[in-house]
Amino acid sequence: MSEYRDETMMLKTPFHSRVEAANELNEWDGWSGYTTPVAYTDVELEYFAIRNSTGVFDLSPMTKYRISGPDAEAYLNRLVTRDVSKIKIDRVGYVIWCDDEGQMMDDGTLFHLGKNDYRLCSYTRVMDWMSWAAMGFDVRIVDETSEVAALAVQGPTSCACLSAMGLTGLEELKPFGIKRFTFADTELMVSRTGFTGDLGYELWIEPQHAEALWDQLFAAGKHYMIKPIGSSALDLARIETGFLQAGVDFVPAQDTVRIGRSRSPFELGLSWLVDFEKPVFNGRKALLKESVEGSSYRLVFLDVEGNKPAANSFILVGPEQVGTVTSAAWCPTAKSNFAFAQVEAKYAEVGRELIAEIYYQRELHWTRLLAKCTVVAAAPFNPPRRRQTPAPMC
Amino acid sequence: MTDYDVIVVGAGHNGLVCAAYLARAGRKVLVVEANQQPGGGAATREFADGFSVSACAHWLTHLNPEVKRDLALEHHGLTLAARDLDSIGLDPGGQHVTVKGDSVDGPSISTGDKAAYQEFHRMTLKFSSLLANAFKLRPPKLVAGNFSDRLNLARLGLGMKLMGKQDMSELLRLALINIYDVMEERFDNELLKATLSFDGVLGAHMGPRSPNTVFGYLYRRVGDVYGFNGPAVVRGGMGGVGAALVEAANSHQVVCRTGVAVQDIMLKADRARGVRLVGGEEITAKLVVSNADPKTTFNKLVGLPNVETGLARRVKNIRMQGGAAKLHLALDGLPEFKGLSAQQLGQRLVIAPTMNYIEEAFNPAKYGEYSTAPAMDISIPSLHDASLAPAGKHVLSAIVQFAPYALRAGWESEKDKFKSLVIARIAEYAPGLEQLVTASELLTPVDLEQEFHMYGGHWHHGEISLDQIMFMRPFPGATQYGTAVDGLYLCGAGTHPGGGVMGLSGRNAAREIIKRGNLA
Ligand SMILES: Cc1cc2nc3c(=O)[nH]c(=O)nc-3n(C[C@H](O)[C@H](O)[C@H](O)COP(=O)(O)OP(=O)(O)OC[C@H]3O[C@@H](n4cnc5c(N)ncnc54)[C@H](O)[C@@H]3O)c2cc1C
C-alpha cells in the first residue's frame, strides 16, 4: 500500500527521483504505464536545448525486447521487412514490421548486440505478436523494458558533454553504431541514435546505476547548457526532422478496428525499408501485390503557408477533402510551418499544391483559414553534423 | 522445365482421387506416399498371421458416387462385400435396437418412437441433402468473393428456403444446439437416443451435449444422399478403396511412388517448386498438392518460418486432437453376442447404452484421461469377406471412444490396460470373447498419427465443427484448396467438406486446380 493517498499508480522510471526534482512544472503524462514529464520548465527552452546545446530525455519506458537464440536472426528477418542479415554486430537498424496484410504494426530500432543476440525497441507492446511469430523458431524473447534504463542525449554539444563525462573516443562512433564503456563497474552502452534528427546518442545501463549516470552526465554537461527535456519538446524536434510517431501518424494495425484505417509501409513513405529480395517476411505477399497494384494513400510532407500550425487539418483539393494532417508544427530552427498529412495517393507528387483547412482559436474565437501548402520531398531539418564522423565536439 | 506438372504428397484416398482427376485432365502427375500401402486411412492391415482388418476407417458410408463413377472404381476392382447394413444398439440384457434405413425396431421401441424416427429421418435427410450440395462445391469466400462464390452462397440460401419455412427454421435451430437435446425432444427410448447420438460424436472430441453434434450427425447422413442406406464393407478391407484408386490413377498415367516420405516442400521465396524426399532426392513440379493434414503440411513440410505469422497462427489454432482408438481382434471362432443372431452379428454393432454413458465416456477425455467405460462401433467384417481370416476364424474391428491423443499418463504405460478394459467391455455383451482372442492390437491416436501421418490421429484432419467447416476449413485464407504459398494446394480431409472415405476433398481440389488453369 502506498503511504500517500494521492500517490500515483503509474510506474516510475529508474531516473524518477532526478526527473521529479527537475520537473518544475510538475506536468506528467503516461507512457506505457510509466509517468513521464511533458515539460520540465518551458517547452521552447527545452526544444532549443536540443537544437543548440544538449537535451536529455528519459526514454526508459520505451518497450525493449531482448531476442536471442540460434534462430534469432532468422526470426527477426521474418518479423521485419528489411534484411536483418545486413545489420552488423554493434550496429543499429531502423526497422518496421507488418501483419500478414502488409499493414504497419510498429516501427522501432533493432540493436545487434552479438551473434544472434538483439534488442528491439518499439513504441507498442507486442509480446503476443512476437510470440506468435516465434512459432517454428528456436528463440528466446524477453521483455526487458524494466531491466534497462535509457537516456537520449541529443544536440550539437551532446558528444562534448559525454566526452567530458569520460566517454573518450565517442566522437569516432558512426551514426547507428554501438560503443561500450565501463561506468561504475558496469557496462554503459552508447548508441549513436535518436529521435531528433540531430547529432545525438542513447545511453543504456542497468537501472541501479541510473541515478549516478544522470548525476555525472548533468555535472559534466553543465557548461554545455545541458537540459532535461519533456515529450513536448521532443515531439517538436521529431516533426521538424520528419520522423513518424506510431499512434499519431499511423494507427498500429493491431489497434485498428475499422477496415481501411491501417496503413502500409508504402503508404507511409517507408518503401526503402521493404526488401523483396530477402526470405519470406510478414506482409510480403500483400506488399508485393500493393507494389504492383498501387496504394490508396500516401503520407506527404507539407510546407504550409503562414505560421499557423495545420494541426488536425483537412486537406482539400477544391471543395473535396482528400486527406488529413497527422502531425504539424511551426518549426523554429527550420523556420518552416511543416506538416505530415495522409492524402489520397494521386495527390501526393512532390510540388503538388494542396489546401489545408486550418482552425485555430484566439480567446475563444475560432478562425478558419485556408492555407496553401506544397508537397515537399523531405523534412526541413537535416544538419550535416547528424552524419559527421568524427562528431563535432563543440 | 519441371519434372512433373503436379506432385501430390500422400496417397490417401483423397490424394489419389485428386491425382487421378488431374491426370485425366492431362496433367503429368506424381504421387509420393510415405507408407508402403496406398490409401492412407483407407487401408487394410494384416495385424496377425492370416488376420486382416481395415486399419483405420472400417465402414464405407460416404463414398461420393460421382467420384466412384468418374474414376470407374468398380471397374478398377472396388467391390463391396456387404452394404446397407443396420446399426444395432446393443442392450446388456439383449433388448437390442435396430436402425434400418428409415425405420427403427426392437422389443423396447414404442410405436411413438417408430413414427418419430421416420419423421426425424425424413427431416434430417432433407438437411443432409442440402449439405451434400454444399459438399460438391468449393466453399465460397465470405469476403471479396467473386461471382461464382456469390452464386454458390446464394444457392445454399435458396436451398434452405426451398425446404419450406418450417424445416428451414428447424434447421437453423438445430444447427447450433446439441444432439442430446434433439434426442430428448423427439424420442423416449434411451438406447435409441444413444445409438443415434453416437453418430453425432464419432471421430470428434465431443459428447452428446457438446455443440456441433447435430452437425456431426447430419454430416454422417450425407452418406444416405449418396445412396448408402447404412454402412458398407469393402471386399479385402478398406485397402480395397486405396487399391482401386491406384488402378484408376495408373490408368491415367499417374506415377505412384510408395514407401518414401516427403521431407519437405521446396520453396522459392513463397512459391512451391517441388518436393525433397527423405534421403535427399529433389523432384520439381509446377504445383504441389498436399494430401497430408494442414498441420503436418505447414508445420513439417513447409515449415512455419517460411510462412507469414498470421498463417502460422491459424494453423496452430486448428483443433485436431484425435479421440478415437482402434481395436483389432483375431478370433478363433465367431463370438456370441447376447440376443444377436449370426446374421445380426454382421451388422454395425454399437455399444452406447445411454446418452449419459457416452457423455460420461467423453468426460475424462477433456482432462487427458481415457474412458473407463468407452463407447464403441464394432464390425466383424470376416462374416462378409472370408479372405480376411483363415477358415472358421474371424476378425473384429472396433472404433473406441474416448482415447485422447494427449493422454496425461502417456500411452506407453496405459495402452495395455486400456486394451484389456475395452475387450472386457465388449465381453459384457459377448461372454467368452476373451477365450476366443488369439491376437489383438490397439491403435491409439498416437499410433494412428505414427502409422498414417495424421496429426493428432484425428479422423477428419481437423475437428468438424461450425467454426471449422465450409469457408472456415481448414482456416480462413486457405479455404479454396489454394494456400498463401503460391503453387501449394491442399486436398486432404482437412479441407472442405472434411473427413471420411468420401473422395470429395480430393475431387474438389482437382477441380479448383483445373479451373485456375494457369500452371506457370
Ligand atoms: C479411428 C478412425 C476410424 C475411422 N473410421 C472411419 C470409417 O469407418 N468410415 C469412414 O469413412 N471414415 C473413417 N475414418 C476417417 C477416415 O479414415 C479419414 O477421414 C480419411 O481416411 C482421410 O483421408 P485423406 O485421404 O484425406 O487422408 P489420409 O488418409 O490421412 O491420407 C494422407 C496420406 O498422406 C500421407 N503422408 C503424410 N505425410 C506424408 C509425407 N511427408 N510424405 C508422404 N506421404 C505423407 C499419409 O501417409 C497418408 O497416406 C476414421 C478415422 C479414424 C482415425
Side-chain angles (χ1 to χ4, degrees):
Chain A
M1 277 303 282
S2 102
E3 199 178 331
Y4 309 104
R5 285 180 57 204
D6 59 351
E7 184 85 74
T8 171
M9 289 176 72
M10 303 297 282
L11 300 170
K12 289 167 182 168
T13 80
F15 299 104
H16 187 77
S17 61
R18 306 303 189 263
V19 171
E20 190 179 31
N23 191 350
E24 293 173 15
L25 297 175
N26 200 22
E27 277 185 23
W28 301 92
D29 200 355
W31 175 12
S32 295
Y34 286 88
T35 186
T36 66
V38 177
Y40 288 81
T41 48
D42 178 278
V43 174
E44 248 99 89
L45 290 181
E46 290 167 29
Y47 163 82
F48 280 111
I50 303 172
R51 289 295 181 237
N52 297 332
S53 57
T54 292
V56 177
F57 183 74
D58 176 6
L59 50 82
S60 306
M62 169 87 73
T63 307
K64 304 171 209 82
Y65 294 112
R66 188 64 168 260
I67 297 146
S68 57
D71 292 341
E73 181 186 307
Y75 163 77
L76 285 162
N77 227 8
R78 208 272 301 261
L79 184 78
V80 306
T81 59
R82 71 182 274 185
D83 191 347
V84 169
S85 70
K86 291 184 180 157
I87 303 170
K88 301 270 166 351
I89 289 178
D90 280 343
R91 299 284 301 161
V92 183
Y94 175 57
V95 296
I96 57 173
W97 54 98
C98 294
D99 61 13
D100 283 27
E101 279 71 49
Q103 301 297 294
M104 275 277 278
M105 297 183 70
D106 202 357
D107 59 352
T109 41
L110 182 64
F111 292 69
H112 193 172
L113 304 177
K115 189 168 167 48
N116 278 317
D117 187 10
Y118 294 86
R119 178 182 295 152
L120 180 63
C121 296
S122 69
Y123 164 77
T124 52
R125 295 233 158 150
V126 282
M127 197 49 153
D128 50 350
W129 180 255
M130 306 269 286
S131 309
W132 281 113
M135 284 189 293
F137 292 96
D138 186 359
V139 286
R140 211 169 96 88
I141 304 164
V142 177
D143 183 339
E144 56 177 18
T145 303
S146 63
E147 288 149 41
V148 182
L151 285 182
V153 183
Q154 305 274 309
T157 64
S158 55
C159 187
C161 288
L162 291 165
S163 301
M165 201 184 95
L167 308 185
T168 44
L170 190 62
E171 65 280 7
E172 295 303 331
L173 186 63
K174 294 194 177 114
F176 292 102
I178 294 172
K179 203 168 159 66
R180 292 149 210 277
F181 298 89
T182 302
F183 178 88
D185 292 332
T186 189
E187 184 188 274
L188 169 65
M189 189 177 91
V190 180
S191 56
R192 188 167 165 190
T193 47
F195 205 46
T196 59
D198 206 324
L199 175 65
Y201 301 86
E202 287 169 337
L203 277 46
W204 313 83
I205 198 161
E206 287 169 15
Q208 64 267 34
H209 302 293
E211 289 165 338
L213 176 66
W214 177 287
D215 294 344
Q216 285 207 25
L217 174 64
F218 279 84
K222 197 165 172 224
H223 299 302
Y224 297 94
M225 314 268 281
I226 198 166
K227 210 170 167 34
I229 62 159
S231 51
S232 296
L234 184 68
D235 194 47
L236 197 51
R238 69 101 193 161
I239 293 172
E240 190 170 37
T241 201
F243 286 157
L244 302 188
Q245 171 80 61
V248 175
D249 298 304
F250 64 93
V251 187
Q254 68 275 21
D255 295 344
T256 59
V257 176
R258 296 165 184 83
I259 289 176
R261 299 293 162 87
S262 56
R263 293 290 177 261
S264 77
F266 297 141
E267 292 177 324
L268 295 172
L270 301 172
S271 53
W272 61 281
L273 286 168
V274 180
D275 185 349
F276 290 123
E277 302 305 314
K278 69 165 198 161
V280 168
F281 60 89
N282 291 331
R284 181 179 191 276
K285 226 183 155 65
L287 290 172
L288 258 180
K289 188 160 174 261
E290 188 180 328
S291 71
V292 174
E293 293 177 359
S295 314
S296 310
Y297 296 92
R298 192 81 195 178
L299 181 123
V300 290
F301 293 143
L302 295 176
D303 183 21
V304 186
E305 190 186 60
N307 61 4
K308 297 281 177 293
N312 306 320
S313 297
F314 286 121
I315 298 297
L316 310 177
V317 169
E320 194 194 348
Q321 185 213 321
V322 301
T324 49
V325 169
T326 57
S327 286
W330 165 256
C331 300
T333 305
K335 306 228 180 331
S336 145
N337 193 15
F338 192 56
F340 309 175
Q342 296 203 9
V343 298
E344 290 172 29
K346 59 176 180 262
Y347 300 111
E349 80 274 19
V350 170
R352 167 127 209 154
E353 297 223 323
L354 299 164
I355 301 292
E357 185 178 0
I358 303 172
Y359 289 80
Y360 67 94
Q361 196 205 50
R362 290 285 177 269
E363 296 170 340
L364 291 184
H365 182 86
W366 280 98
T367 307
R368 172 173 177 261
L369 186 74
L370 294 177
K372 245 195 261 165
C373 40
T374 313
V375 177
V376 295
F381 184 79
N382 189 11
R385 63 172 176 259
R386 175 183 181 181
R387 284 170 300 276
Q388 273 165 15
T389 312
M393 289 280 269
C394 49
Chain B
M1 267 304 286
T2 54
D3 303 325
Y4 289 89
D5 290 333
V6 183
I7 297 171
V8 178
V9 182
H13 82 285
N14 277 316
L16 290 168
V17 166
C18 185
Y21 271 98
L22 289 172
R24 205 174 68 138
R27 304 288 158 86
K28 190 179 165 200
V29 184
L30 170 71
V31 179
V32 183
E33 167 59 49
N35 289 346
Q36 288 298 343
Q37 190 189 150
T44 304
R45 163 193 188 87
E46 191 177 89
F47 68 101
D49 230 10
F51 293 87
S52 296
V53 281
S54 299
C56 190
H58 67 192
W59 301 114
L60 194 67
T61 53
H62 264 94
L63 182 66
N64 180 265
E66 200 181 309
V67 171
K68 189 171 88 177
R69 193 190 60 225
D70 287 349
L71 302 182
L73 293 186
E74 279 164 351
H75 169 77
H76 290 297
L78 176 66
T79 37
L80 299 183
R83 59 170 304 154
D84 304 332
L85 296 174
D86 302 338
S87 289
I88 301 180
L90 299 182
D91 172 61
Q95 304 266 67
H96 308 309
V97 165
T98 303
V99 180
K100 193 191 237 359
D102 68 350
S103 69
V104 49
D105 208 358
S108 60
I109 301 283
S110 66
T111 43
D113 269 355
K114 282 183 188 172
Y117 181 70
Q118 280 196 341
E119 166 56 15
F120 183 66
H121 186 271
R122 177 203 69 78
M123 184 190 70
T124 48
L125 189 61
K126 213 163 160 183
F127 297 162
S128 294
S129 309
L130 193 66
L131 269 188
N133 282 334
F135 279 16
K136 283 193 301 211
L137 304 168
R138 72 168 192 195
K141 270 189 197 161
L142 267 192
V143 189
N146 61 16
F147 180 71
S148 79
D149 283 346
R150 263 175 276 153
L151 197 67
N152 288 347
L153 212 59
R155 273 199 201 121
L156 209 61
L158 188 68
M160 278 173 69
K161 280 214 93 102
L162 288 178
M163 289 192 305
K165 197 170 159 194
Q166 222 170 359
D167 283 350
M168 182 175 99
S169 58
E170 187 62 2
L171 172 61
L172 291 175
R173 188 179 74 90
L174 290 190
L176 295 170
I177 65 175
N178 61 64
I179 192 95
Y180 182 96
D181 288 346
V182 174
M183 294 290 113
E184 286 290 299
E185 279 174 7
R186 290 179 178 260
F187 305 110
D188 294 325
N189 187 290
E190 274 306 322
L191 183 55
L192 174 63
K193 289 187 262 189
T195 306
L196 295 176
S197 66
F198 190 43
D199 279 358
V201 302
L202 264 175
H205 182 73
M206 297 174 195
R209 286 194 185 84
S210 305
N212 298 304
T213 40
V214 176
F215 187 83
Y217 179 83
L218 296 176
Y219 185 98
R220 239 184 118 70
R221 290 291 306 287
V222 168
D224 293 29
V225 183
Y226 296 161
F228 289 88
N229 208 14
V233 175
V234 175
R235 188 165 299 285
M238 272 296 195
V241 176
L245 278 167
V246 169
E247 287 299 312
N250 285 343
S251 76
H252 293 294
Q253 278 75 53
V254 170
V255 180
C256 278
R257 286 178 64 177
T258 57
V260 52
V262 169
Q263 172 76 43
D264 54 31
I265 292 170
M266 298 187 293
L267 304 169
K268 184 169 186 231
D270 43 17
R271 188 176 175 91
R273 56 177 200 89
V275 300
R276 193 184 344 261
L277 306 183
V278 169
E281 186 186 341
E282 296 186 356
I283 314 173
T284 58
K286 292 171 186 150
L287 298 180
V288 176
V289 182
S290 178
N291 179 204
D293 64 83
K295 289 216 193 206
T296 302
T297 302
F298 285 101
N299 290 351
K300 257 181 69 182
L301 302 180
V302 173
L304 294 184
N306 294 314
V307 298
E308 299 183 22
T309 295
L311 173 67
R313 189 172 165 181
R314 285 183 163 146
V315 171
K316 157 124 180 145
N317 285 346
I318 301 172
R319 289 177 296 112
M320 55 182 304
Q321 292 236 328
K326 244 345 250 313
L327 173 76
H328 303 144
L329 300 180
L331 301 173
D332 222 12
L334 196 59
E336 276 183 34
F337 279 71
K338 278 184 268 179
L340 286 187
S341 68
Q343 185 276 332
Q344 281 175 310
L345 269 189
Q347 312 297 310
R348 172 173 177 251
L349 309 179
V350 175
I351 296 183
T354 66
M355 288 198 287
N356 278 344
Y357 177 95
I358 309 174
E359 194 69 39
E360 280 160 16
F362 173 55
N363 284 343
K366 297 181 212 165
Y367 310 105
E369 290 158 18
Y370 55 69
S371 323
T372 46
M376 274 180 257
D377 169 327
I378 300 169
S379 161
I380 308 179
S382 46
L383 276 167
H384 306 290
D385 182 351
S387 74
L388 297 175
K393 306 191 192 277
H394 286 279
V395 285
L396 180 149
S397 161
I399 296 165
V400 187
Q401 286 182 215
F402 292 83
Y405 172 80
L407 193 73
R408 230 177 9 190
W411 276 112
E412 292 101 276
S413 60
E414 297 300 299
K415 195 162 136 173
D416 282 340
K417 262 188 266 172
F418 186 60
K419 187 169 81 175
S420 316
L421 173 160
V422 171
I423 296 172
R425 170 66 34 165
I426 305 175
E428 286 176 26
Y429 295 84
L433 178 74
E434 278 117 328
Q435 286 71 49
L436 292 176
V437 177
T438 54
S440 64
E441 75 168 354
L442 181 93
L443 300 178
T444 67
V446 173
D447 300 321
L448 291 167
E449 177 181 72
Q450 253 149 33
E451 296 267 339
F452 301 107
H453 314 107
M454 26 172 98
Y455 185 98
H458 197 281
W459 185 299
H460 290 280
H461 291 192
E463 201 77 354
I464 293 281
S465 57
L466 295 180
D467 58 324
Q468 296 194 158
I469 58 162
M470 297 283 291
F471 21 73
M472 312 275 263
R473 190 167 187 84
F475 49 83
T479 52
Q480 297 186 331
Y481 308 97
T483 67
V485 178
D486 289 332
L488 174 65
Y489 287 77
L490 300 175
C491 78
T495 64
H496 172 78
V501 180
M502 180 158 50
L504 279 184
S505 289
R507 166 196 168 271
N508 291 359
R511 274 173 43 127
E512 182 66 17
I513 290 166
I514 293 163
K515 188 169 148 206
R516 293 196 195 177
N518 181 14
L519 283 185

